[in-house]
Amino acid sequence: MRHSKYWDDFEKRAQETIACINSGITIPVRRVAVFITEKCNMSCAYCNHDKGKREMSEECFDSVVNKYGKDAIIHITGGEPSLVKWLYPYLIEHGNEYRFHLNTNALLLPPSSSVKRLKVSLDSHISTYWNRLTGINAFDTVVNNIKKCSKETVLTITFTMTKENYLTIPDFIEFSNREFKDVYAIFFSVYKGNNPRFIFSEEDVDSFFETIKPAMNATLNEESKNLLNETIQEKFRIIEGKRFPENQSGLCYLSLSERVISPDGTESACSHLYRDGVKNKPGEICEKCLYGCNRRLVDFNEYVKRELI
Ligand code: SF4
Ligand code: SF4
């Protein structure tokens, strides 16, 4: 399994999962995704996030950090985490003690030197389009915050590909290569949802694989290229419907070492399923695993399955 700073210790976790199962030991939790708030300060047209009002208390977060933080990455996401008033001061105070990872839209400057990984969404290099898409007039602010933060931590840009923006990707990469010299990688995810404005048609998928993907491979840095080729390697990854028939049955080994914490403190296991409205138990797969997973997670499970005695 390839080493990558993007995937959280996957190699080590796969080996540990195999060793624990083979010797009947409980698998330690290595990654905890904390959905710290449902609120957001943007209103992206493609957003599938359920924007409620729930927000985690500092006491609840502190108990999660005390319970898991010694052994696990604490991956903070939302909603938009920066809206939780006590969070950034907490990260600044405890950033040296724990491995915090943060997902943010970077409208407010993140405390980048207090987190080990930062993931920032940016889906266009065209300021007028991006301002309209997100409902906020702040393209330059976000670009400047990405520049500042990428000098202080491992920063990945997450670009959500849609029918509407995929043709602009080569120009987006050129913009990023010019403006974001310190960014670690760009990760391209595919729009999941049912808004016809954003869903790829079959012609779009053909055009993406024939012209856009080769152009991406020619200009992306090594890590971004690897991420692209290991997650979007076949046409049916972009088409709606079943993307991972491998997840039809069996056990999800990856989620045995993961936990998800919702704003009220309740626990489940898989953050992908959580975003799809499902709270599963560690190891449990369900109907939504056929669609909401990604190639790298499926590979983890297949690798562990193959290597078990
Ligand atoms: S920043 Fe994220 S959570 Fe907020 S509206 Fe945009 S996609 Fe949704
Ligand atoms: S979507 Fe399903 S198979 Fe994929 S990581 Fe989550 S629980 Fe496991």
Side-chain angles (χ1 to χ4, degrees):
M1 216 173 277
R2 185 179 75 81
H3 174 72
S4 158
K5 286 184 185 169
Y6 183 82
W7 304 107
D8 302 329
D9 290 341
F10 261 27
E11 277 171 296
K12 231 161 90 187
R13 278 172 57 194
Q15 297 308 335
E16 185 174 62
T17 301
I18 294 162
C20 288
I21 294 177
N22 282 339
S23 45
I25 300 168
T26 306
I27 300 164
V29 174
R30 295 300 187 196
R31 182 178 186 271
V32 178
V34 181
F35 284 80
I36 206 149
T37 179
E38 293 172 339
K39 299 175 200 162
C40 187
N41 47 8
M42 290 190 186
S43 42
C44 305
Y46 62 80
C47 182
N48 295 323
H49 173 69
D50 182 17
K51 289 208 201 84
K53 295 225 177 328
R54 292 189 307 163
E55 180 178 301
M56 188 175 280
S57 68
E58 184 168 356
E59 294 67 38
C60 179
F61 184 74
D62 198 45
S63 72
V64 170
V65 171
N66 285 329
K67 182 174 174 187
Y68 292 115
K70 200 167 72 56
D71 300 317
I73 289 161
I74 306 291
H75 182 93
I76 304 155
T77 186
E80 172 46 39
S82 61
L83 294 183
V84 178
K85 291 277 176 289
W86 53 262
L87 179 65
Y88 284 5
Y90 185 103
L91 297 181
I92 291 166
E93 189 182 340
H94 298 285
N96 286 335
E97 300 161 54
Y98 302 103
R99 283 192 295 163
F100 294 121
H101 291 189
L102 179 66
N103 260 24
T104 174
N105 58 30
L107 183 58
L108 299 171
L109 185 67
S112 42
S113 49
S114 301
V115 300
K116 305 285 183 279
R117 303 278 188 276
L118 194 58
K119 290 184 185 170
V120 180
S121 354
L122 189 70
D123 314 308
S124 180
H125 63 291
I126 305 162
S127 59
T128 46
Y129 174 75
W130 186 90
N131 287 341
R132 248 186 298 119
L133 188 73
T134 59
I136 195 147
N137 204 8
F139 179 80
D140 294 341
T141 305
V142 170
V143 165
N144 283 331
N145 286 345
I146 291 175
K147 283 185 194 172
K148 278 186 207 150
C149 294
S150 58
K151 293 186 196 313
E152 296 182 340
T153 192
V154 177
L155 188 150
T156 307
I157 291 173
T158 309
F159 183 108
T160 303
M161 300 197 314
T162 68
K163 177 189 181 65
E164 201 171 75
N165 70 5
Y166 82 94
L167 290 173
T168 68
I169 291 176
D171 290 340
F172 177 84
I173 295 170
E174 198 188 310
F175 170 85
S176 299
N177 288 346
R178 191 177 64 240
E179 298 293 329
F180 304 136
K181 300 227 181 293
D182 299 302
V183 160
Y184 173 66
I186 308 173
F187 181 78
F188 292 88
S189 65
V190 182
Y191 169 70
K192 273 202 292 184
N194 43 28
N195 185 341
R197 179 176 158 193
F198 300 118
I199 297 176
F200 280 75
S201 67
E202 284 194 23
E203 293 78 58
D204 294 321
V205 176
D206 286 342
S207 139
F208 174 78
F209 276 89
E210 274 154 32
T211 59
I212 303 301
K213 197 175 169 205
M216 293 165 79
N217 271 321
T219 49
L220 283 170
N221 72 15
E222 214 44 40
E223 176 65 353
S224 310
K225 215 179 341 186
N226 285 329
L227 293 172
L228 172 71
N229 291 314
E230 68 197 7
T231 49
I232 308 178
Q233 83 288 33
E234 289 159 292
K235 288 190 179 179
F236 72 100
R237 298 283 171 238
I238 305 186
I239 299 170
E240 290 299 289
K242 287 185 191 179
R243 288 179 184 165
F244 301 102
E246 299 90 336
N247 288 345
Q248 192 94 41
S249 59
L251 193 67
C252 173
Y253 295 103
L254 179 72
S255 68
L256 294 174
S257 58
E258 303 208 338
R259 295 293 181 276
V260 170
I261 318 288
S262 62
D264 63 9
T266 52
E267 291 195 15
S268 57
C270 171
S271 54
H272 294 257
L273 290 182
Y274 183 86
R275 287 187 192 281
D276 285 341
V278 177
K279 292 184 181 176
N280 68 331
K281 294 198 178 75
E284 196 174 66
I285 65 166
C286 73
E287 180 73 7
K288 297 241 171 167
C289 297
L290 288 169
Y291 179 60
C293 205
N294 83 40
R295 185 69 240 165
R296 188 68 190 248
L297 313 185
V298 174
D299 283 350
F300 181 105
N301 283 338
E302 297 204 318
Y303 176 78
V304 172
K305 203 165 155 188
R306 248 193 341 264
E307 299 293 316
L308 282 175
I309 297 168

